[in-house]
Amino acid sequence: VPGKDQLLDLIDLVSNGVGRINTFLVRLAPLGLFTLTAAAAGTMRIEEFSKLQGYLLILTTASLVAAFVALPLLVSSVSDISYRQLLGAAEAPLLTAIAAVKLFVVLPQITENCEALLKTDDESDDEI
């Protein structure tokens, strides 16, 4: 198509601009979240804390059920990795994440454990 270079250059320019705006917004998001949380906490009455406590209890329960029951069962149902192996591989990174309070610290550990699980799964497939 004649003149496609100009259109592709324009699309590339727009894509770079949107990418820079997205990067700026990602950097700005924690500040906005902190501001909203501080404003909500500063204007909250005592009666509203009981509602918040119920929400946090339901959120915590749902997160624990999803993390330790639903997702591991889903993974074990679609793969040959057992539920026990999956939770065993998650134990050390979970304890490290709780102690370090940073997810980036445990990402290499999670990767190594997943590779080990997949390697043992591949070896058991080879034996069959």
Side-chain angles (χ1 to χ4, degrees):
V1 176
K4 69 178 179 183
D5 292 335
Q6 293 174 346
L7 178 63
L8 290 175
D9 289 341
L10 178 65
I11 291 173
D12 190 39
L13 180 68
V14 170
S15 174
N16 288 337
V18 169
R20 290 182 70 190
I21 291 170
N22 187 29
T23 303
F24 174 73
L25 290 176
V26 166
R27 288 183 183 164
L28 193 62
L31 181 63
L33 182 62
F34 174 76
T35 305
L36 289 172
T37 305
T43 59
M44 192 175 285
R45 296 189 312 248
I46 298 296
E47 300 84 29
E48 294 172 335
F49 277 111
S50 65
K51 294 178 186 175
L52 184 63
Q53 182 182 4
Y55 168 75
L56 290 175
L57 182 64
I58 291 171
L59 177 69
T60 303
T61 304
S63 298
L64 289 173
V65 167
F68 293 110
V69 178
L71 292 175
L73 283 175
L74 178 68
V75 169
S76 65
S77 69
V78 297
S79 69
D80 292 334
I81 301 170
S82 72
Y83 180 80
R84 185 172 292 203
Q85 286 176 324
L86 198 58
L87 288 184
E91 181 182 3
L94 180 63
L95 293 175
T96 306
I98 290 171
V101 192
K102 294 282 184 187
L103 181 63
F104 292 113
V105 173
V106 296
L107 285 177
Q109 195 174 16
I110 292 170
T111 304
E112 289 173 9
N113 288 355
C114 289
E115 287 175 355
L117 277 176
L118 292 174
K119 185 179 283 187
T120 58
D121 187 41
D122 287 342
E123 290 172 0
S124 66
D125 284 347
D126 292 341
E127 293 174 4
I128 296 176

